[in-house]
Amino acid sequence: MTEMDMSTMSGIWVAVVIPAYNAGDYLAQTLQSVLGQTHKALEIIVVDDGSTDDTALICRRFAARDQRIRILSTENRGVAAARNTGIEASKSNYIAFLDADDLWHPTYIERMLSALYSLPEIWGAVYALHRFIDSEGYCTRSGSSLNARDSIFSRHLVFRFVGNGSGFMIRRAVVDKIGGYDSSYTRQGIGGCEDFDFELRTAEHFKIETVPLGLVGYRSHSAAMSSDRSRMARSLLAVTERCIARNPQLPAFVVSCARASANLYAFSKFAALKDWSSAATSLKHIYHHSPMLASGILAKLILSKAKRTTRRALSKVWPPREQKQKNLRKFEEIDPLVPLVGGWSRFRTKALLSRLSEIDRSGKCSAATSSQEA
């Protein structure tokens, strides 16, 4: 990008929409990560979604020091409705979403806007990768390093590249085309994956760029929505099925992979809760779509059970080893250029990704390619 382009981009306003419900423990850190952005033309909208703690007080304290911050207060309606309230109140042509307990690297907006700004209008969004952080802001592990760009609809349906709601920036044209976030999941008691639903609907009509750097600190803690494993599992399954129903043109291969992937995620959540009935249902669906994957899961479960039994037997003979203290670093201390490593499953293979890439390139799955040709 030329010096003139950089100068022009610095004057482009970006709306930052932050839904906040009882976010008092982390909101100050989140807002500080926004105020510390190298890109300063920000319209910061915090939607207080019926909080009963000191969320509103924290917002007012920050707003008194920085006029870019606006606070909107609503009754508690869920994260999707809160995001929609923020979108409707914003005026900028670019909109970025940030959950009230997550963090951004200082260069997040600058890098995201730079990636999307110079691309044609058919490129509707850009996403970044993330690192997991704990309640104190220390990085515990990397998110997946897998990413894709261009027309990514079928790949995203299977691989879920974004991974959270705080790493996605869109042009306003996306909302004009597809509408906002779907709040019906919350009304049905299965809220949690509305961001994935929004990303998929974006990918159905637009190309998507990626900034493959760990620019988002995705906080994991007991009060987070994602900590409700059963609800997250059922939410992802519902989002996947709605997407499949909405796109009857999807090849059977993509549908099969998507259902196997969603049920693999659900199985892991149900198994962790020892909800064996729901886990067995998901495993049945996995077997239907991928017998080899299901067999591998069963073998892993048997091996894991054997290891636990062995450890319990040995612990009666030898005392447990002292746990080594992990050398953790704060999110803001990590160079964003340090690469992320790994994915989360053998289900993510290069061969599968290659085949899905070919399907995306063919333009048969989404409206993005056909819109460009028209």
Side-chain angles (χ1 to χ4, degrees), residues 233-321:
R234 299 181 194 283
S235 184
L236 182 69
L237 292 171
V239 168
T240 301
E241 289 304 320
R242 285 194 196 181
C243 181
I244 290 170
R246 197 169 56 242
N247 293 276
Q249 81 283 1
L250 280 171
F253 172 74
V254 176
V255 171
S256 184
C257 288
R259 284 176 169 154
S261 178
N263 277 283
L264 179 60
Y265 173 88
F267 174 84
S268 69
K269 298 299 182 184
F270 292 139
L273 293 169
K274 293 183 168 46
D275 179 356
W276 299 118
S277 175
S278 298
T281 299
S282 283
L283 187 59
K284 178 181 177 182
H285 286 298
I286 294 170
Y287 182 80
H288 176 73
H289 297 290
S290 180
M292 289 185 64
L293 179 60
S295 298
I297 291 172
L298 285 173
K300 188 174 181 179
L301 283 174
I302 294 171
L303 181 61
S304 178
K305 176 66 174 177
K307 286 182 177 179
R308 285 197 299 271
T309 302
T310 302
R311 279 198 298 267
R312 281 196 296 267
L314 291 175
S315 67
K316 296 177 181 179
V317 181
W318 290 290
R321 296 179 180 177

Coordinates of all heavy atoms in Angstrom, one line a residue, residues 233-321:
A233 N -22.9 -26.8 21.8 CA -23.0 -28.0 20.9 C -24.3 -27.9 20.1 O -24.3 -28.1 18.9 CB -22.9 -29.3 21.7
R234 N -25.4 -27.7 20.8 CA -26.7 -27.6 20.2 C -26.8 -26.4 19.2 O -27.4 -26.5 18.2 CB -27.8 -27.6 21.2 CG -27.7 -28.9 22.1 CD -28.9 -28.9 23.1 NE -28.6 -30.0 24.1 CZ -28.7 -31.3 24.0 NH1 -29.2 -31.7 22.8 NH2 -28.4 -32.1 24.9
S235 N -26.2 -25.3 19.6 CA -26.2 -24.1 18.8 C -25.4 -24.4 17.5 O -25.9 -24.1 16.4 CB -25.5 -23.0 19.5 OG -25.6 -21.8 18.8
L236 N -24.3 -25.0 17.5 CA -23.5 -25.3 16.3 C -24.2 -26.2 15.4 O -24.3 -26.0 14.2 CB -22.1 -25.8 16.6 CG -21.2 -26.1 15.4 CD1 -20.8 -24.8 14.8 CD2 -20.0 -26.9 15.8
L237 N -24.8 -27.3 16.0 CA -25.6 -28.2 15.1 C -26.8 -27.5 14.4 O -27.0 -27.7 13.3 CB -26.1 -29.3 16.0 CG -25.1 -30.3 16.6 CD1 -25.7 -31.3 17.6 CD2 -24.4 -31.1 15.5
A238 N -27.4 -26.6 15.2 CA -28.6 -25.9 14.6 C -28.1 -24.9 13.5 O -28.7 -24.9 12.4 CB -29.3 -25.1 15.7
V239 N -27.0 -24.2 13.7 CA -26.5 -23.3 12.7 C -26.1 -24.1 11.4 O -26.4 -23.7 10.3 CB -25.3 -22.5 13.2 CG1 -24.5 -21.8 12.1 CG2 -25.7 -21.5 14.3
T240 N -25.5 -25.2 11.6 CA -25.0 -26.0 10.5 C -26.2 -26.5 9.7 O -26.3 -26.4 8.4 CB -24.2 -27.2 10.9 OG1 -23.1 -26.8 11.6 CG2 -23.8 -28.1 9.8
E241 N -27.3 -27.0 10.3 CA -28.5 -27.5 9.6 C -29.2 -26.4 8.9 O -29.7 -26.6 7.8 CB -29.4 -28.3 10.6 CG -28.8 -29.6 11.1 CD -28.5 -30.5 9.9 OE1 -29.2 -30.6 8.9 OE2 -27.4 -31.2 10.0
R242 N -29.3 -25.2 9.5 CA -30.0 -24.1 8.9 C -29.2 -23.7 7.6 O -29.8 -23.4 6.6 CB -30.1 -22.9 9.8 CG -31.1 -23.1 10.9 CD -31.4 -21.7 11.6 NE -32.1 -21.9 12.8 CZ -32.5 -20.9 13.6 NH1 -32.2 -19.7 13.2 NH2 -33.1 -21.1 14.7
C243 N -27.9 -23.7 7.7 CA -27.1 -23.4 6.5 C -27.3 -24.3 5.4 O -27.5 -24.0 4.2 CB -25.6 -23.3 6.9 SG -24.6 -22.8 5.6
I244 N -27.3 -25.6 5.7 CA -27.5 -26.7 4.7 C -28.9 -26.5 4.1 O -29.1 -26.6 2.9 CB -27.4 -28.1 5.4 CG1 -25.9 -28.3 5.7 CG2 -27.9 -29.2 4.4 CD1 -25.7 -29.5 6.5
A245 N -29.9 -26.3 4.9 CA -31.3 -26.1 4.4 C -31.4 -24.9 3.5 O -32.2 -24.8 2.5 CB -32.3 -26.0 5.6
R246 N -30.6 -23.8 3.8 CA -30.7 -22.6 3.1 C -30.0 -22.7 1.8 O -30.2 -21.8 0.9 CB -30.0 -21.5 4.0 CG -30.3 -20.1 3.6 CD -29.9 -19.1 4.7 NE -28.4 -19.2 5.0 CZ -28.0 -19.5 6.2 NH1 -28.8 -19.8 7.2 NH2 -26.7 -19.6 6.4
N247 N -29.1 -23.7 1.6 CA -28.3 -23.8 0.4 C -28.4 -25.2 -0.2 O -27.5 -26.0 -0.1 CB -26.8 -23.5 0.8 CG -26.6 -22.1 1.2 OD1 -26.4 -21.2 0.3 ND2 -26.6 -21.9 2.5
P248 N -29.6 -25.5 -0.8 CA -29.8 -26.8 -1.4 C -28.9 -27.2 -2.5 O -28.8 -28.4 -2.9 CB -31.3 -26.7 -1.9 CG -31.5 -25.2 -2.1 CD -30.7 -24.6 -1.1
Q249 N -28.1 -26.2 -3.0 CA -27.2 -26.5 -4.1 C -25.9 -27.1 -3.6 O -25.0 -27.5 -4.4 CB -26.9 -25.2 -4.9 CG -25.8 -24.2 -4.2 CD -26.4 -23.4 -3.1 OE1 -27.5 -23.6 -2.7 NE2 -25.5 -22.6 -2.5
L250 N -25.7 -27.2 -2.3 CA -24.4 -27.7 -1.8 C -24.3 -29.2 -2.2 O -25.2 -30.0 -2.1 CB -24.5 -27.7 -0.2 CG -24.1 -26.3 0.4 CD1 -24.4 -26.4 1.9 CD2 -22.7 -26.0 0.2
P251 N -23.1 -29.5 -2.7 CA -22.8 -30.9 -3.1 C -22.9 -31.8 -1.8 O -22.7 -31.4 -0.7 CB -21.3 -30.8 -3.5 CG -21.1 -29.4 -3.9 CD -21.9 -28.6 -3.0
A252 N -23.3 -33.0 -2.1 CA -23.5 -34.0 -1.0 C -22.3 -34.2 -0.2 O -22.3 -34.4 1.0 CB -24.0 -35.3 -1.6
F253 N -21.1 -34.1 -0.9 CA -19.8 -34.3 -0.2 C -19.7 -33.2 0.9 O -19.2 -33.5 2.0 CB -18.7 -34.2 -1.2 CG -17.3 -34.2 -0.6 CD1 -16.8 -35.4 0.0 CD2 -16.6 -33.1 -0.5 CE1 -15.5 -35.4 0.6 CE2 -15.3 -33.0 0.1 CZ -14.8 -34.2 0.6
V254 N -20.0 -31.9 0.5 CA -19.8 -30.8 1.5 C -20.8 -31.0 2.6 O -20.4 -30.8 3.8 CB -20.1 -29.5 0.8 CG1 -20.0 -28.3 1.8 CG2 -19.0 -29.3 -0.3
V255 N -22.0 -31.4 2.3 CA -23.0 -31.6 3.4 C -22.6 -32.7 4.4 O -22.7 -32.5 5.6 CB -24.4 -32.0 2.8 CG1 -25.4 -32.4 3.8 CG2 -25.0 -30.8 2.0
S256 N -22.1 -33.7 3.8 CA -21.6 -34.8 4.7 C -20.4 -34.4 5.6 O -20.4 -34.7 6.8 CB -21.2 -36.0 3.8 OG -20.8 -37.1 4.6
C257 N -19.5 -33.7 5.0 CA -18.3 -33.2 5.8 C -18.8 -32.2 6.8 O -18.3 -32.2 8.0 CB -17.3 -32.5 4.8 SG -16.4 -33.6 3.8
A258 N -19.7 -31.3 6.5 CA -20.2 -30.3 7.4 C -20.9 -31.0 8.6 O -20.7 -30.6 9.8 CB -21.1 -29.3 6.8
R259 N -21.7 -32.0 8.4 CA -22.4 -32.6 9.4 C -21.5 -33.5 10.3 O -21.6 -33.5 11.5 CB -23.5 -33.5 8.9 CG -24.7 -32.7 8.4 CD -25.8 -33.5 7.7 NE -27.0 -32.8 7.6 CZ -27.9 -33.0 6.6 NH1 -27.7 -34.0 5.8 NH2 -29.0 -32.3 6.5
A260 N -20.5 -34.1 9.7 CA -19.5 -34.8 10.5 C -18.7 -33.9 11.3 O -18.5 -34.2 12.5 CB -18.6 -35.6 9.5
S261 N -18.3 -32.8 10.8 CA -17.5 -31.8 11.6 C -18.3 -31.2 12.7 O -17.8 -31.1 13.9 CB -17.1 -30.6 10.6 OG -16.4 -29.7 11.4
A262 N -19.6 -30.8 12.5 CA -20.4 -30.3 13.5 C -20.7 -31.3 14.6 O -20.6 -31.0 15.8 CB -21.7 -29.8 13.0
N263 N -20.9 -32.5 14.3 CA -21.2 -33.6 15.3 C -19.9 -34.0 16.0 O -20.0 -34.4 17.2 CB -21.8 -34.8 14.6 CG -23.3 -34.6 14.5 OD1 -24.1 -34.7 15.4 ND2 -23.8 -34.3 13.3
L264 N -18.8 -33.8 15.4 CA -17.5 -34.1 16.1 C -17.3 -33.0 17.2 O -16.9 -33.4 18.3 CB -16.3 -34.0 15.1 CG -14.9 -34.2 15.7 CD1 -14.8 -35.6 16.3 CD2 -13.9 -34.0 14.6
Y265 N -17.6 -31.8 16.9 CA -17.6 -30.7 17.9 C -18.6 -31.0 19.0 O -18.2 -30.9 20.2 CB -17.9 -29.4 17.2 CG -18.0 -28.2 18.2 CD1 -16.9 -27.5 18.6 CD2 -19.3 -27.9 18.7 CE1 -17.0 -26.4 19.4 CE2 -19.4 -26.8 19.6 CZ -18.3 -26.1 19.9 OH -18.4 -25.0 20.8
A266 N -19.8 -31.4 18.6 CA -20.8 -31.6 19.6 C -20.4 -32.8 20.5 O -20.6 -32.8 21.7 CB -22.2 -31.9 18.9
F267 N -19.9 -33.9 19.9 CA -19.5 -35.1 20.6 C -18.5 -34.7 21.7 O -18.6 -35.1 22.9 CB -18.9 -36.1 19.7 CG -18.3 -37.3 20.4 CD1 -19.1 -38.3 20.8 CD2 -17.0 -37.3 20.7 CE1 -18.6 -39.4 21.5 CE2 -16.4 -38.4 21.4 CZ -17.2 -39.5 21.8
S268 N -17.5 -33.8 21.3 CA -16.5 -33.5 22.3 C -17.1 -32.7 23.5 O -16.7 -32.9 24.6 CB -15.4 -32.6 21.6 OG -15.9 -31.3 21.3
K269 N -18.1 -31.9 23.2 CA -18.7 -31.1 24.3 C -19.6 -32.0 25.2 O -19.5 -31.9 26.4 CB -19.6 -30.0 23.7 CG -18.8 -29.0 22.9 CD -17.8 -28.3 23.7 CE -17.0 -27.2 22.9 NZ -15.9 -26.6 23.7
F270 N -20.4 -32.9 24.6 CA -21.2 -33.8 25.3 C -20.4 -34.8 26.2 O -20.7 -35.1 27.3 CB -22.2 -34.6 24.4 CG -23.2 -33.7 23.7 CD1 -23.5 -33.9 22.4 CD2 -23.9 -32.7 24.5 CE1 -24.5 -33.1 21.8 CE2 -24.8 -31.9 23.9 CZ -25.1 -32.1 22.5
A271 N -19.3 -35.3 25.6 CA -18.5 -36.3 26.3 C -17.8 -35.6 27.5 O -17.7 -36.2 28.5 CB -17.4 -36.8 25.3
A272 N -17.4 -34.3 27.3 CA -16.8 -33.6 28.5 C -17.8 -33.5 29.6 O -17.4 -33.5 30.8 CB -16.3 -32.3 28.0
L273 N -19.1 -33.4 29.3 CA -20.1 -33.3 30.3 C -20.6 -34.6 30.8 O -21.5 -34.7 31.7 CB -21.3 -32.5 29.7 CG -21.1 -31.0 29.4 CD1 -22.2 -30.5 28.6 CD2 -20.9 -30.2 30.6
K274 N -20.1 -35.7 30.2 CA -20.5 -37.1 30.5 C -22.0 -37.2 30.2 O -22.7 -38.0 30.8 CB -20.2 -37.4 31.9 CG -18.7 -37.6 32.2 CD -18.5 -38.0 33.7 CE -17.0 -38.4 33.9 NZ -16.0 -37.5 33.3
D275 N -22.5 -36.5 29.2 CA -23.8 -36.6 28.6 C -23.7 -37.7 27.5 O -23.7 -37.4 26.4 CB -24.3 -35.3 28.1 CG -25.7 -35.4 27.5 OD1 -26.3 -36.5 27.5 OD2 -26.2 -34.3 27.1
W276 N -23.7 -38.9 28.0 CA -23.3 -40.0 27.0 C -24.5 -40.3 26.0 O -24.2 -40.7 24.9 CB -23.0 -41.3 27.8 CG -21.8 -41.1 28.7 CD1 -21.7 -41.2 30.1 CD2 -20.5 -40.7 28.3 NE1 -20.5 -40.9 30.5 CE2 -19.7 -40.6 29.4 CE3 -19.9 -40.5 27.0 CZ2 -18.3 -40.3 29.4 CZ3 -18.5 -40.2 27.0 CH2 -17.8 -40.1 28.1
S277 N -25.7 -40.0 26.4 CA -26.8 -40.2 25.5 C -26.7 -39.2 24.3 O -26.7 -39.7 23.1 CB -28.1 -39.9 26.2 OG -29.2 -40.0 25.3
S278 N -26.4 -37.9 24.6 CA -26.2 -37.0 23.5 C -24.9 -37.3 22.7 O -24.9 -37.1 21.5 CB -26.2 -35.5 24.0 OG -27.4 -35.2 24.7
A279 N -23.9 -37.7 23.4 CA -22.6 -38.0 22.8 C -22.8 -39.2 21.8 O -22.2 -39.2 20.7 CB -21.6 -38.3 23.8
A280 N -23.6 -40.2 22.2 CA -23.8 -41.3 21.4 C -24.6 -40.9 20.1 O -24.3 -41.5 19.0 CB -24.6 -42.4 22.2
T281 N -25.5 -40.0 20.3 CA -26.3 -39.6 19.1 C -25.3 -38.9 18.1 O -25.4 -39.1 16.9 CB -27.4 -38.6 19.5 OG1 -28.3 -39.2 20.4 CG2 -28.2 -38.1 18.3
S282 N -24.5 -38.0 18.6 CA -23.5 -37.4 17.7 C -22.6 -38.4 17.1 O -22.2 -38.3 15.9 CB -22.7 -36.3 18.5 OG -23.5 -35.1 18.7
L283 N -22.1 -39.3 17.9 CA -21.2 -40.4 17.3 C -21.9 -41.2 16.2 O -21.3 -41.5 15.2 CB -20.7 -41.3 18.4 CG -19.7 -42.3 18.0 CD1 -18.4 -41.6 17.5 CD2 -19.3 -43.2 19.2
K284 N -23.2 -41.4 16.4 CA -24.0 -42.1 15.4 C -24.0 -41.3 14.1 O -23.8 -41.9 13.0 CB -25.4 -42.3 15.9 CG -26.3 -43.0 14.9 CD -27.7 -43.2 15.4 CE -28.6 -43.8 14.4 NZ -30.0 -44.0 14.9
H285 N -24.2 -40.0 14.2 CA -24.2 -39.2 13.0 C -22.8 -39.1 12.4 O -22.6 -39.1 11.1 CB -24.6 -37.8 13.3 CG -26.1 -37.6 13.6 ND1 -27.0 -37.9 12.7 CD2 -26.8 -37.3 14.7 CE1 -28.2 -37.7 13.2 NE2 -28.1 -37.3 14.4
I286 N -21.7 -39.1 13.2 CA -20.4 -39.1 12.7 C -20.1 -40.4 11.9 O -19.5 -40.3 10.8 CB -19.3 -38.9 13.8 CG1 -19.5 -37.6 14.5 CG2 -17.9 -39.1 13.3 CD1 -18.7 -37.4 15.7
Y287 N -20.5 -41.5 12.5 CA -20.3 -42.8 11.8 C -21.1 -42.8 10.4 O -20.5 -43.4 9.5 CB -20.9 -43.9 12.7 CG -20.6 -45.3 12.1 CD1 -19.4 -45.9 12.1 CD2 -21.6 -45.9 11.4 CE1 -19.2 -47.1 11.6 CE2 -21.4 -47.2 10.8 CZ -20.2 -47.8 10.9 OH -20.0 -49.0 10.3
H288 N -22.3 -42.2 10.4 CA -23.0 -42.2 9.2 C -22.3 -41.5 8.1 O -22.3 -41.9 6.9 CB -24.4 -41.6 9.4 CG -25.2 -41.4 8.1 ND1 -25.8 -42.5 7.5 CD2 -25.5 -40.3 7.4 CE1 -26.5 -42.0 6.4 NE2 -26.3 -40.7 6.4
H289 N -21.6 -40.3 8.4 CA -21.0 -39.5 7.4 C -19.5 -39.8 7.3 O -18.9 -39.6 6.2 CB -21.1 -38.0 7.8 CG -22.5 -37.6 7.8 ND1 -23.3 -37.4 6.6 CD2 -23.4 -37.2 8.8 CE1 -24.5 -37.0 6.9 NE2 -24.6 -36.9 8.3
S290 N -18.9 -40.4 8.3 CA -17.4 -40.8 8.2 C -17.1 -41.9 9.2 O -16.7 -41.7 10.3 CB -16.6 -39.5 8.6 OG -15.2 -39.8 8.5
P291 N -17.3 -43.2 8.7 CA -17.1 -44.3 9.5 C -15.7 -44.4 10.1 O -15.5 -44.8 11.3 CB -17.4 -45.5 8.6 CG -18.3 -45.0 7.6 CD -17.9 -43.5 7.4
M292 N -14.7 -44.0 9.3 CA -13.3 -44.1 9.8 C -13.1 -43.1 10.9 O -12.4 -43.4 11.9 CB -12.3 -43.8 8.6 CG -12.2 -44.9 7.6 SD -11.0 -44.5 6.3 CE -9.5 -44.5 7.3
L293 N -13.7 -41.9 10.8 CA -13.5 -40.9 11.9 C -14.2 -41.4 13.2 O -13.6 -41.3 14.2 CB -14.2 -39.6 11.4 CG -14.2 -38.5 12.5 CD1 -12.7 -38.1 12.8 CD2 -14.9 -37.3 11.9
A294 N -15.4 -42.0 13.0 CA -16.0 -42.6 14.2 C -15.2 -43.7 14.9 O -15.1 -43.8 16.1 CB -17.4 -43.1 13.8
S295 N -14.6 -44.5 14.0 CA -13.8 -45.6 14.6 C -12.6 -45.1 15.3 O -12.2 -45.6 16.4 CB -13.4 -46.5 13.4 OG -14.5 -47.1 12.8
G296 N -12.0 -44.0 14.8 CA -10.9 -43.4 15.4 C -11.2 -42.8 16.8 O -10.5 -42.9 17.7
I297 N -12.4 -42.2 16.9 CA -12.9 -41.6 18.1 C -13.1 -42.7 19.2 O -12.7 -42.6 20.3 CB -14.2 -40.9 17.9 CG1 -14.0 -39.6 17.1 CG2 -14.9 -40.5 19.2 CD1 -15.3 -38.9 16.6
L298 N -13.7 -43.8 18.8 CA -13.9 -44.9 19.7 C -12.6 -45.5 20.2 O -12.4 -45.8 21.4 CB -14.7 -46.0 19.0 CG -16.2 -45.8 18.9 CD1 -16.9 -46.8 18.0 CD2 -16.9 -45.7 20.2
A299 N -11.6 -45.6 19.3 CA -10.3 -46.2 19.7 C -9.6 -45.2 20.7 O -9.0 -45.6 21.6 CB -9.4 -46.3 18.4
K300 N -9.8 -43.9 20.4 CA -9.2 -42.9 21.3 C -9.8 -42.9 22.7 O -9.2 -42.8 23.7 CB -9.3 -41.5 20.7 CG -8.6 -40.4 21.4 CD -8.7 -39.1 20.6 CE -7.9 -38.0 21.4 NZ -7.9 -36.7 20.6
L301 N -11.2 -43.1 22.7 CA -11.8 -43.2 24.0 C -11.4 -44.4 24.8 O -11.2 -44.3 26.0 CB -13.4 -43.3 23.8 CG -14.1 -42.0 23.4 CD1 -15.5 -42.2 23.1 CD2 -14.0 -41.0 24.5
I302 N -11.3 -45.5 24.1 CA -10.8 -46.8 24.8 C -9.4 -46.6 25.3 O -9.1 -47.0 26.5 CB -10.9 -48.0 23.8 CG1 -12.3 -48.3 23.5 CG2 -10.2 -49.2 24.5 CD1 -12.5 -49.3 22.4
L303 N -8.5 -46.0 24.5 CA -7.1 -45.8 24.9 C -7.1 -44.8 26.1 O -6.3 -45.0 27.1 CB -6.3 -45.2 23.8 CG -4.8 -44.9 24.0 CD1 -4.1 -46.2 24.5 CD2 -4.2 -44.3 22.8
S304 N -7.9 -43.7 26.1 CA -7.9 -42.8 27.1 C -8.4 -43.4 28.4 O -7.8 -43.1 29.5 CB -8.9 -41.6 26.8 OG -9.0 -40.7 27.8
K305 N -9.4 -44.3 28.4 CA -9.9 -44.9 29.5 C -8.8 -45.9 30.1 O -8.6 -45.9 31.4 CB -11.1 -45.8 29.2 CG -11.7 -46.6 30.3 CD -12.3 -45.8 31.4 CE -13.0 -46.6 32.4 NZ -13.5 -45.8 33.6
A306 N -8.1 -46.5 29.3 CA -7.0 -47.4 29.7 C -5.9 -46.6 30.4 O -5.4 -47.0 31.5 CB -6.5 -48.2 28.6
K307 N -5.6 -45.5 29.9 CA -4.6 -44.6 30.5 C -5.0 -44.1 31.9 O -4.2 -44.1 32.8 CB -4.2 -43.4 29.6 CG -3.4 -43.8 28.3 CD -3.1 -42.6 27.5 CE -2.2 -42.9 26.3 NZ -1.9 -41.7 25.5
R308 N -6.2 -43.7 32.0 CA -6.7 -43.2 33.3 C -6.7 -44.3 34.3 O -6.3 -44.1 35.5 CB -8.1 -42.7 33.1 CG -8.2 -41.3 32.4 CD -9.5 -40.6 32.7 NE -10.7 -41.4 32.2 CZ -11.1 -41.3 31.0 NH1 -10.6 -40.4 30.1 NH2 -12.2 -42.0 30.6
T309 N -7.1 -45.5 33.9 CA -7.1 -46.7 34.8 C -5.7 -47.0 35.3 O -5.4 -47.2 36.5 CB -7.7 -47.9 34.1 OG1 -9.0 -47.6 33.7 CG2 -7.7 -49.1 35.1
T310 N -4.7 -46.9 34.3 CA -3.3 -47.2 34.7 C -2.8 -46.1 35.6 O -2.1 -46.5 36.6 CB -2.5 -47.2 33.4 OG1 -3.0 -48.2 32.5 CG2 -1.0 -47.5 33.7
R311 N -3.1 -44.9 35.3 CA -2.6 -43.8 36.2 C -3.2 -43.9 37.6 O -2.4 -43.7 38.6 CB -3.0 -42.4 35.6 CG -2.1 -41.9 34.5 CD -2.3 -40.4 34.3 NE -3.7 -40.1 33.9 CZ -4.1 -40.0 32.6 NH1 -3.2 -40.2 31.7 NH2 -5.3 -39.7 32.3
R312 N -4.4 -44.3 37.8 CA -5.0 -44.5 39.1 C -4.3 -45.6 39.8 O -4.1 -45.5 41.0 CB -6.5 -44.7 39.0 CG -7.4 -43.5 38.8 CD -8.8 -43.7 39.0 NE -9.4 -44.7 38.1 CZ -10.0 -44.4 37.0 NH1 -10.1 -43.2 36.6 NH2 -10.5 -45.4 36.2
A313 N -4.0 -46.7 39.1 CA -3.3 -47.8 39.8 C -1.9 -47.5 40.2 O -1.5 -47.8 41.3 CB -3.3 -49.0 38.8
L314 N -1.2 -46.7 39.3 CA 0.2 -46.3 39.7 C 0.2 -45.3 40.8 O 1.2 -45.3 41.6 CB 0.9 -45.8 38.4 CG 1.2 -46.8 37.3 CD1 1.7 -46.1 36.1 CD2 2.1 -47.9 37.8
S315 N -0.8 -44.5 40.9 CA -0.8 -43.4 41.9 C -0.9 -44.0 43.3 O -0.5 -43.4 44.3 CB -2.0 -42.5 41.7 OG -3.2 -43.1 41.9
K316 N -1.3 -45.2 43.4 CA -1.4 -45.9 44.7 C 0.0 -46.4 45.1 O 0.2 -46.7 46.3 CB -2.4 -47.1 44.7 CG -3.8 -46.6 44.4 CD -4.8 -47.8 44.3 CE -6.2 -47.3 44.0 NZ -7.1 -48.5 43.9
V317 N 0.9 -46.5 44.1 CA 2.2 -47.1 44.4 C 3.2 -45.9 44.5 O 4.1 -45.9 45.4 CB 2.6 -48.1 43.3 CG1 4.0 -48.6 43.6 CG2 1.6 -49.2 43.2
W318 N 3.2 -45.0 43.5 CA 4.1 -43.9 43.4 C 3.3 -42.5 43.7 O 2.2 -42.4 43.1 CB 4.8 -43.8 42.1 CG 5.8 -44.9 41.9 CD1 7.0 -45.1 42.6 CD2 5.7 -46.0 41.0 NE1 7.6 -46.2 42.1 CE2 6.9 -46.8 41.1 CE3 4.7 -46.4 40.1 CZ2 7.1 -47.9 40.4 CZ3 4.9 -47.5 39.3 CH2 6.1 -48.3 39.5
P319 N 3.9 -41.6 44.4 CA 3.2 -40.3 44.6 C 3.2 -39.5 43.3 O 4.1 -39.7 42.4 CB 4.1 -39.6 45.6 CG 5.5 -40.3 45.5 CD 5.2 -41.7 45.1
P320 N 2.3 -38.7 43.1 CA 2.2 -37.9 41.8 C 3.3 -37.0 41.7 O 3.9 -36.4 42.7 CB 0.9 -37.2 42.0 CG 0.6 -37.1 43.4 CD 1.2 -38.3 44.0
R321 N 3.8 -36.7 40.4 CA 4.8 -35.8 40.2 C 4.4 -34.4 40.4 O 3.2 -34.0 40.2 CB 5.3 -35.9 38.7 CG 6.0 -37.3 38.4 CD 6.4 -37.2 36.9 NE 7.0 -38.5 36.5 CZ 7.4 -38.8 35.3 NH1 7.2 -37.9 34.3 NH2 7.9 -40.0 35.0

